[in-house]
mmCIF file of all heavy atoms in Angstrom:
data_model
loop_
_atom_site.group_PDB
_atom_site.id
_atom_site.type_symbol
_atom_site.label_atom_id
_atom_site.label_comp_id
_atom_site.label_asym_id
_atom_site.label_seq_id
_atom_site.Cartn_x
_atom_site.Cartn_y
_atom_site.Cartn_z
ATOM 1 N N ASP A 1 162.292 -48.456 -107.202
ATOM 2 C CA ASP A 1 163.391 -49.137 -107.898
ATOM 3 C C ASP A 1 164.471 -48.166 -108.364
ATOM 4 O O ASP A 1 165.617 -48.569 -108.579
ATOM 5 C CB ASP A 1 162.844 -49.916 -109.098
ATOM 6 C CG ASP A 1 161.891 -51.024 -108.662
ATOM 7 O OD1 ASP A 1 162.004 -51.473 -107.510
ATOM 8 O OD2 ASP A 1 161.028 -51.412 -109.476
ATOM 9 N N SER A 2 164.088 -46.881 -108.538
ATOM 10 C CA SER A 2 165.048 -45.938 -109.106
ATOM 11 C C SER A 2 165.496 -44.840 -108.140
ATOM 12 O O SER A 2 166.410 -44.084 -108.458
ATOM 13 C CB SER A 2 164.437 -45.263 -110.346
ATOM 14 O OG SER A 2 163.248 -44.570 -110.005
ATOM 15 N N CYS A 3 164.863 -44.767 -106.962
ATOM 16 C CA CYS A 3 165.166 -43.640 -106.063
ATOM 17 C C CYS A 3 166.444 -43.902 -105.254
ATOM 18 O O CYS A 3 166.942 -45.030 -105.178
ATOM 19 C CB CYS A 3 164.002 -43.369 -105.125
ATOM 20 S SG CYS A 3 163.688 -44.671 -103.923
ATOM 21 N N LEU A 4 166.941 -42.856 -104.627
ATOM 22 C CA LEU A 4 168.128 -42.945 -103.793
ATOM 23 C C LEU A 4 167.808 -43.688 -102.495
ATOM 24 O O LEU A 4 166.655 -43.693 -102.037
ATOM 25 C CB LEU A 4 168.637 -41.538 -103.477
ATOM 26 C CG LEU A 4 169.097 -40.707 -104.690
ATOM 27 C CD1 LEU A 4 169.414 -39.279 -104.250
ATOM 28 C CD2 LEU A 4 170.316 -41.345 -105.348
ATOM 29 N N PRO A 5 168.814 -44.302 -101.881
ATOM 30 C CA PRO A 5 168.567 -45.081 -100.651
ATOM 31 C C PRO A 5 167.895 -44.268 -99.550
ATOM 32 O O PRO A 5 167.061 -44.792 -98.804
ATOM 33 C CB PRO A 5 169.975 -45.527 -100.233
ATOM 34 C CG PRO A 5 170.766 -45.528 -101.503
ATOM 35 C CD PRO A 5 170.211 -44.411 -102.330
ATOM 36 N N GLU A 6 168.244 -42.961 -99.427
ATOM 37 C CA GLU A 6 167.673 -42.169 -98.334
ATOM 38 C C GLU A 6 166.184 -41.895 -98.508
ATOM 39 O O GLU A 6 165.493 -41.584 -97.541
ATOM 40 C CB GLU A 6 168.439 -40.845 -98.181
ATOM 41 C CG GLU A 6 168.512 -40.009 -99.451
ATOM 42 C CD GLU A 6 169.798 -40.268 -100.235
ATOM 43 O OE1 GLU A 6 170.360 -41.377 -100.094
ATOM 44 O OE2 GLU A 6 170.232 -39.362 -100.959
ATOM 45 N N THR A 7 165.665 -42.006 -99.738
ATOM 46 C CA THR A 7 164.225 -41.778 -99.958
ATOM 47 C C THR A 7 163.455 -43.087 -100.143
ATOM 48 O O THR A 7 162.239 -43.080 -100.159
ATOM 49 C CB THR A 7 163.996 -40.891 -101.197
ATOM 50 O OG1 THR A 7 164.572 -41.527 -102.350
ATOM 51 C CG2 THR A 7 164.627 -39.518 -101.001
ATOM 52 N N ARG A 8 164.177 -44.196 -100.269
ATOM 53 C CA ARG A 8 163.510 -45.476 -100.536
ATOM 54 C C ARG A 8 162.595 -45.879 -99.376
ATOM 55 O O ARG A 8 161.496 -46.410 -99.598
ATOM 56 C CB ARG A 8 164.547 -46.565 -100.802
ATOM 57 C CG ARG A 8 163.926 -47.897 -101.236
ATOM 58 C CD ARG A 8 164.970 -48.882 -101.719
ATOM 59 N NE ARG A 8 165.586 -48.404 -102.958
ATOM 60 C CZ ARG A 8 166.879 -48.257 -103.135
ATOM 61 N NH1 ARG A 8 167.724 -48.549 -102.143
ATOM 62 N NH2 ARG A 8 167.369 -47.835 -104.278
ATOM 63 N N GLU A 9 163.023 -45.605 -98.157
ATOM 64 C CA GLU A 9 162.217 -45.999 -96.999
ATOM 65 C C GLU A 9 160.858 -45.309 -97.002
ATOM 66 O O GLU A 9 159.824 -45.945 -96.735
ATOM 67 C CB GLU A 9 162.962 -45.669 -95.709
ATOM 68 C CG GLU A 9 162.233 -46.136 -94.455
ATOM 69 C CD GLU A 9 163.003 -45.843 -93.180
ATOM 70 O OE1 GLU A 9 164.184 -45.442 -93.279
ATOM 71 O OE2 GLU A 9 162.417 -46.024 -92.095
ATOM 72 N N SER A 10 160.839 -43.995 -97.308
ATOM 73 C CA SER A 10 159.562 -43.282 -97.327
ATOM 74 C C SER A 10 158.672 -43.780 -98.463
ATOM 75 O O SER A 10 157.455 -43.907 -98.298
ATOM 76 C CB SER A 10 159.794 -41.778 -97.454
ATOM 77 O OG SER A 10 160.419 -41.461 -98.683
ATOM 78 N N VAL A 11 159.257 -44.095 -99.614
ATOM 79 C CA VAL A 11 158.472 -44.615 -100.741
ATOM 80 C C VAL A 11 157.874 -45.974 -100.380
ATOM 81 O O VAL A 11 156.707 -46.260 -100.691
ATOM 82 C CB VAL A 11 159.335 -44.708 -102.013
ATOM 83 C CG1 VAL A 11 158.583 -45.417 -103.134
ATOM 84 C CG2 VAL A 11 159.754 -43.316 -102.474
ATOM 85 N N GLU A 12 158.644 -46.806 -99.720
ATOM 86 C CA GLU A 12 158.120 -48.114 -99.290
ATOM 87 C C GLU A 12 157.003 -47.949 -98.274
ATOM 88 O O GLU A 12 156.028 -48.714 -98.265
ATOM 89 C CB GLU A 12 159.262 -48.959 -98.718
ATOM 90 C CG GLU A 12 160.230 -49.452 -99.782
ATOM 91 C CD GLU A 12 161.405 -50.215 -99.207
ATOM 92 O OE1 GLU A 12 161.604 -50.141 -97.971
ATOM 93 O OE2 GLU A 12 162.129 -50.874 -99.983
ATOM 94 N N ASN A 13 157.121 -46.939 -97.413
ATOM 95 C CA ASN A 13 156.050 -46.645 -96.465
ATOM 96 C C ASN A 13 154.775 -46.228 -97.194
ATOM 97 O O ASN A 13 153.669 -46.679 -96.860
ATOM 98 C CB ASN A 13 156.504 -45.530 -95.516
ATOM 99 C CG ASN A 13 155.450 -45.179 -94.495
ATOM 100 O OD1 ASN A 13 154.860 -46.049 -93.879
ATOM 101 N ND2 ASN A 13 155.188 -43.889 -94.320
ATOM 102 N N PHE A 14 154.927 -45.389 -98.221
ATOM 103 C CA PHE A 14 153.773 -44.992 -99.031
ATOM 104 C C PHE A 14 153.128 -46.218 -99.680
ATOM 105 O O PHE A 14 151.894 -46.345 -99.718
ATOM 106 C CB PHE A 14 154.185 -44.017 -100.143
ATOM 107 C CG PHE A 14 154.755 -42.706 -99.657
ATOM 108 C CD1 PHE A 14 155.496 -41.901 -100.509
ATOM 109 C CD2 PHE A 14 154.549 -42.276 -98.351
ATOM 110 C CE1 PHE A 14 156.030 -40.696 -100.078
ATOM 111 C CE2 PHE A 14 155.084 -41.073 -97.900
ATOM 112 C CZ PHE A 14 155.829 -40.283 -98.769
ATOM 113 N N LEU A 15 153.973 -47.112 -100.184
ATOM 114 C CA LEU A 15 153.453 -48.319 -100.835
ATOM 115 C C LEU A 15 152.620 -49.162 -99.864
ATOM 116 O O LEU A 15 151.522 -49.614 -100.202
ATOM 117 C CB LEU A 15 154.613 -49.159 -101.375
ATOM 118 C CG LEU A 15 155.073 -48.849 -102.800
ATOM 119 C CD1 LEU A 15 156.371 -49.575 -103.099
ATOM 120 C CD2 LEU A 15 154.007 -49.246 -103.806
ATOM 121 N N THR A 16 153.145 -49.349 -98.667
ATOM 122 C CA THR A 16 152.420 -50.134 -97.658
ATOM 123 C C THR A 16 151.063 -49.513 -97.363
ATOM 124 O O THR A 16 150.035 -50.212 -97.320
ATOM 125 C CB THR A 16 153.247 -50.219 -96.359
ATOM 126 O OG1 THR A 16 154.505 -50.821 -96.637
ATOM 127 C CG2 THR A 16 152.513 -51.019 -95.304
ATOM 128 N N ILE A 17 151.050 -48.207 -97.174
ATOM 129 C CA ILE A 17 149.808 -47.506 -96.844
ATOM 130 C C ILE A 17 148.790 -47.665 -97.961
ATOM 131 O O ILE A 17 147.619 -48.043 -97.721
ATOM 132 C CB ILE A 17 150.082 -46.011 -96.571
ATOM 133 C CG1 ILE A 17 150.862 -45.845 -95.269
ATOM 134 C CG2 ILE A 17 148.777 -45.217 -96.518
ATOM 135 C CD1 ILE A 17 151.376 -44.432 -95.028
ATOM 136 N N PHE A 18 149.207 -47.417 -99.203
ATOM 137 C CA PHE A 18 148.220 -47.380 -100.288
ATOM 138 C C PHE A 18 147.874 -48.761 -100.829
ATOM 139 O O PHE A 18 146.804 -48.934 -101.420
ATOM 140 C CB PHE A 18 148.686 -46.412 -101.384
ATOM 141 C CG PHE A 18 148.564 -44.983 -100.942
ATOM 142 C CD1 PHE A 18 149.661 -44.281 -100.498
ATOM 143 C CD2 PHE A 18 147.320 -44.362 -100.889
ATOM 144 C CE1 PHE A 18 149.542 -42.967 -100.046
ATOM 145 C CE2 PHE A 18 147.182 -43.065 -100.435
ATOM 146 C CZ PHE A 18 148.286 -42.361 -100.012
ATOM 147 N N TYR A 19 148.729 -49.760 -100.597
ATOM 148 C CA TYR A 19 148.299 -51.148 -100.820
ATOM 149 C C TYR A 19 147.076 -51.440 -99.932
ATOM 150 O O TYR A 19 146.054 -51.972 -100.384
ATOM 151 C CB TYR A 19 149.417 -52.121 -100.448
ATOM 152 C CG TYR A 19 150.370 -52.479 -101.567
ATOM 153 C CD1 TYR A 19 151.745 -52.473 -101.341
ATOM 154 C CD2 TYR A 19 149.916 -52.843 -102.831
ATOM 155 C CE1 TYR A 19 152.648 -52.814 -102.349
ATOM 156 C CE2 TYR A 19 150.808 -53.188 -103.844
ATOM 157 C CZ TYR A 19 152.165 -53.157 -103.598
ATOM 158 O OH TYR A 19 153.049 -53.491 -104.596
ATOM 159 N N GLN A 20 147.217 -51.125 -98.657
ATOM 160 C CA GLN A 20 146.138 -51.390 -97.705
ATOM 161 C C GLN A 20 144.892 -50.575 -98.028
ATOM 162 O O GLN A 20 143.762 -51.084 -97.960
ATOM 163 C CB GLN A 20 146.628 -51.090 -96.291
ATOM 164 C CG GLN A 20 147.736 -52.002 -95.818
ATOM 165 C CD GLN A 20 148.298 -51.593 -94.468
ATOM 166 O OE1 GLN A 20 148.063 -50.492 -93.987
ATOM 167 N NE2 GLN A 20 149.074 -52.475 -93.860
ATOM 168 N N VAL A 21 145.089 -49.305 -98.387
ATOM 169 C CA VAL A 21 143.955 -48.451 -98.749
ATOM 170 C C VAL A 21 143.184 -49.068 -99.920
ATOM 171 O O VAL A 21 141.946 -49.127 -99.905
ATOM 172 C CB VAL A 21 144.445 -47.031 -99.119
ATOM 173 C CG1 VAL A 21 143.345 -46.233 -99.814
ATOM 174 C CG2 VAL A 21 144.911 -46.286 -97.868
ATOM 175 N N GLU A 22 143.929 -49.551 -100.937
ATOM 176 C CA GLU A 22 143.270 -50.059 -102.137
ATOM 177 C C GLU A 22 142.461 -51.307 -101.852
ATOM 178 O O GLU A 22 141.348 -51.462 -102.328
ATOM 179 C CB GLU A 22 144.327 -50.329 -103.216
ATOM 180 C CG GLU A 22 143.762 -50.316 -104.641
ATOM 181 C CD GLU A 22 143.150 -51.643 -105.041
ATOM 182 O OE1 GLU A 22 143.606 -52.679 -104.537
ATOM 183 O OE2 GLU A 22 142.208 -51.649 -105.865
ATOM 184 N N TRP A 23 142.999 -52.243 -101.027
ATOM 185 C CA TRP A 23 142.222 -53.465 -100.828
ATOM 186 C C TRP A 23 141.043 -53.246 -99.878
ATOM 187 O O TRP A 23 140.013 -53.888 -100.019
ATOM 188 C CB TRP A 23 143.098 -54.655 -100.462
ATOM 189 C CG TRP A 23 143.578 -54.879 -99.062
ATOM 190 C CD1 TRP A 23 142.843 -54.946 -97.942
ATOM 191 C CD2 TRP A 23 144.935 -55.160 -98.669
ATOM 192 N NE1 TRP A 23 143.627 -55.217 -96.849
ATOM 193 C CE2 TRP A 23 144.922 -55.375 -97.268
ATOM 194 C CE3 TRP A 23 146.137 -55.261 -99.329
ATOM 195 C CZ2 TRP A 23 146.080 -55.660 -96.551
ATOM 196 C CZ3 TRP A 23 147.270 -55.565 -98.607
ATOM 197 C CH2 TRP A 23 147.243 -55.752 -97.232
ATOM 198 N N VAL A 24 141.161 -52.309 -98.926
ATOM 199 C CA VAL A 24 140.008 -51.998 -98.077
ATOM 200 C C VAL A 24 138.928 -51.287 -98.906
ATOM 201 O O VAL A 24 137.727 -51.552 -98.752
ATOM 202 C CB VAL A 24 140.419 -51.123 -96.870
ATOM 203 C CG1 VAL A 24 139.203 -50.722 -96.057
ATOM 204 C CG2 VAL A 24 141.399 -51.884 -95.978
ATOM 205 N N TRP A 25 139.373 -50.383 -99.801
ATOM 206 C CA TRP A 25 138.397 -49.709 -100.673
ATOM 207 C C TRP A 25 137.667 -50.737 -101.538
ATOM 208 O O TRP A 25 136.443 -50.671 -101.704
ATOM 209 C CB TRP A 25 139.118 -48.687 -101.562
ATOM 210 C CG TRP A 25 138.152 -47.828 -102.342
ATOM 211 C CD1 TRP A 25 137.200 -48.255 -103.230
ATOM 212 C CD2 TRP A 25 137.999 -46.415 -102.260
ATOM 213 N NE1 TRP A 25 136.483 -47.204 -103.719
ATOM 214 C CE2 TRP A 25 136.953 -46.061 -103.140
ATOM 215 C CE3 TRP A 25 138.665 -45.418 -101.541
ATOM 216 C CZ2 TRP A 25 136.543 -44.738 -103.323
ATOM 217 C CZ3 TRP A 25 138.266 -44.097 -101.727
ATOM 218 C CH2 TRP A 25 137.211 -43.773 -102.606
ATOM 219 N N HIS A 26 138.422 -51.679 -102.106
ATOM 220 C CA HIS A 26 137.836 -52.697 -102.978
ATOM 221 C C HIS A 26 136.770 -53.497 -102.232
ATOM 222 O O HIS A 26 135.673 -53.761 -102.771
ATOM 223 C CB HIS A 26 138.944 -53.620 -103.495
ATOM 224 C CG HIS A 26 138.508 -54.506 -104.608
ATOM 225 N ND1 HIS A 26 139.345 -55.415 -105.209
ATOM 226 C CD2 HIS A 26 137.314 -54.652 -105.239
ATOM 227 C CE1 HIS A 26 138.695 -56.061 -106.158
ATOM 228 N NE2 HIS A 26 137.456 -55.630 -106.185
ATOM 229 N N LEU A 27 137.051 -53.876 -101.006
ATOM 230 C CA LEU A 27 136.070 -54.626 -100.223
ATOM 231 C C LEU A 27 134.832 -53.781 -99.943
ATOM 232 O O LEU A 27 133.699 -54.267 -100.029
ATOM 233 C CB LEU A 27 136.685 -55.094 -98.903
ATOM 234 C CG LEU A 27 135.744 -55.886 -97.992
ATOM 235 C CD1 LEU A 27 135.324 -57.196 -98.649
ATOM 236 C CD2 LEU A 27 136.378 -56.143 -96.632
ATOM 237 N N THR A 28 135.031 -52.512 -99.610
ATOM 238 C CA THR A 28 133.890 -51.620 -99.360
ATOM 239 C C THR A 28 133.033 -51.502 -100.605
ATOM 240 O O THR A 28 131.793 -51.494 -100.528
ATOM 241 C CB THR A 28 134.389 -50.221 -98.940
ATOM 242 O OG1 THR A 28 135.356 -50.353 -97.902
ATOM 243 C CG2 THR A 28 133.231 -49.362 -98.451
ATOM 244 N N GLU A 29 133.669 -51.404 -101.747
ATOM 245 C CA GLU A 29 132.934 -51.336 -103.014
ATOM 246 C C GLU A 29 132.073 -52.584 -103.207
ATOM 247 O O GLU A 29 130.903 -52.503 -103.610
ATOM 248 C CB GLU A 29 133.930 -51.195 -104.164
ATOM 249 C CG GLU A 29 133.309 -51.109 -105.542
ATOM 250 C CD GLU A 29 134.369 -51.085 -106.616
ATOM 251 O OE1 GLU A 29 135.093 -50.063 -106.714
ATOM 252 O OE2 GLU A 29 134.498 -52.084 -107.364
ATOM 253 N N ILE A 30 132.645 -53.751 -102.895
ATOM 254 C CA ILE A 30 131.915 -55.017 -103.052
ATOM 255 C C ILE A 30 130.714 -55.088 -102.105
ATOM 256 O O ILE A 30 129.604 -55.466 -102.503
ATOM 257 C CB ILE A 30 132.865 -56.204 -102.789
ATOM 258 C CG1 ILE A 30 133.872 -56.335 -103.940
ATOM 259 C CG2 ILE A 30 132.088 -57.499 -102.603
ATOM 260 C CD1 ILE A 30 134.991 -57.311 -103.660
ATOM 261 N N LEU A 31 130.923 -54.710 -100.838
ATOM 262 C CA LEU A 31 129.885 -54.899 -99.822
ATOM 263 C C LEU A 31 128.830 -53.801 -99.810
ATOM 264 O O LEU A 31 127.678 -54.053 -99.418
ATOM 265 C CB LEU A 31 130.534 -54.982 -98.429
ATOM 266 C CG LEU A 31 131.489 -56.156 -98.191
ATOM 267 C CD1 LEU A 31 132.058 -56.088 -96.774
ATOM 268 C CD2 LEU A 31 130.800 -57.489 -98.426
ATOM 269 N N TYR A 32 129.202 -52.585 -100.229
ATOM 270 C CA TYR A 32 128.279 -51.464 -100.028
ATOM 271 C C TYR A 32 127.887 -50.708 -101.300
ATOM 272 O O TYR A 32 126.926 -49.948 -101.277
ATOM 273 C CB TYR A 32 128.898 -50.465 -99.037
ATOM 274 C CG TYR A 32 129.062 -51.038 -97.657
ATOM 275 C CD1 TYR A 32 130.244 -51.695 -97.306
ATOM 276 C CD2 TYR A 32 128.035 -50.968 -96.718
ATOM 277 C CE1 TYR A 32 130.402 -52.252 -96.035
ATOM 278 C CE2 TYR A 32 128.192 -51.509 -95.451
ATOM 279 C CZ TYR A 32 129.372 -52.154 -95.117
ATOM 280 O OH TYR A 32 129.521 -52.693 -93.862
ATOM 281 N N VAL A 33 128.635 -50.911 -102.383
ATOM 282 C CA VAL A 33 128.309 -50.168 -103.610
ATOM 283 C C VAL A 33 127.853 -51.104 -104.720
ATOM 284 O O VAL A 33 126.783 -50.925 -105.299
ATOM 285 C CB VAL A 33 129.528 -49.335 -104.085
ATOM 286 C CG1 VAL A 33 129.152 -48.507 -105.318
ATOM 287 C CG2 VAL A 33 130.024 -48.418 -102.971
ATOM 288 N N ASP A 34 128.648 -52.149 -104.969
ATOM 289 C CA ASP A 34 128.358 -53.053 -106.095
ATOM 290 C C ASP A 34 127.692 -54.333 -105.599
ATOM 291 O O ASP A 34 128.171 -55.429 -105.856
ATOM 292 C CB ASP A 34 129.672 -53.372 -106.830
ATOM 293 C CG ASP A 34 129.436 -54.184 -108.090
ATOM 294 O OD1 ASP A 34 128.323 -54.125 -108.628
ATOM 295 O OD2 ASP A 34 130.378 -54.865 -108.529
ATOM 296 N N THR A 35 126.600 -54.215 -104.896
ATOM 297 C CA THR A 35 125.929 -55.406 -104.352
ATOM 298 C C THR A 35 125.163 -56.124 -105.461
ATOM 299 O O THR A 35 124.461 -55.502 -106.253
ATOM 300 C CB THR A 35 124.958 -55.015 -103.230
ATOM 301 O OG1 THR A 35 124.095 -53.977 -103.704
ATOM 302 C CG2 THR A 35 125.708 -54.498 -102.022
ATOM 303 N N LEU A 36 125.317 -57.454 -105.502
ATOM 304 C CA LEU A 36 124.640 -58.270 -106.504
ATOM 305 C C LEU A 36 123.177 -58.495 -106.116
ATOM 306 O O LEU A 36 122.816 -58.369 -104.939
ATOM 307 C CB LEU A 36 125.342 -59.624 -106.635
ATOM 308 C CG LEU A 36 126.768 -59.597 -107.188
ATOM 309 C CD1 LEU A 36 127.355 -61.001 -107.158
ATOM 310 C CD2 LEU A 36 126.775 -59.059 -108.608
ATOM 311 N N PRO A 37 122.322 -58.849 -107.085
ATOM 312 C CA PRO A 37 120.926 -59.183 -106.743
ATOM 313 C C PRO A 37 120.876 -60.288 -105.700
ATOM 314 O O PRO A 37 121.591 -61.289 -105.798
ATOM 315 C CB PRO A 37 120.351 -59.653 -108.090
ATOM 316 C CG PRO A 37 121.192 -58.970 -109.126
ATOM 317 C CD PRO A 37 122.568 -58.885 -108.531
#
């Protein structure tokens, strides 16, 4: 929201990557680490 236009594209790319990383990690945690009885 605050960066210059020339760097905004790379920041948005980082956001896309780490959004995906976080939700895949969350699923792995559910299926392989925090398994319910």
Side-chain angles (χ1 to χ4, degrees):
D1 297 336
S2 59
C3 67
L4 297 173
E6 55 265 26
T7 59
R8 186 170 293 126
E9 184 178 350
S10 63
V11 172
E12 288 176 346
N13 181 46
F14 298 162
L15 271 170
T16 301
I17 291 171
F18 288 100
Y19 270 134
Q20 295 174 346
V21 166
E22 203 276 330
W23 81 54
V24 176
W25 188 302
H26 192 180
L27 180 64
T28 310
E29 180 185 291
I30 289 170
L31 297 179
Y32 295 90
V33 183
D34 186 23
T35 52
L36 294 176

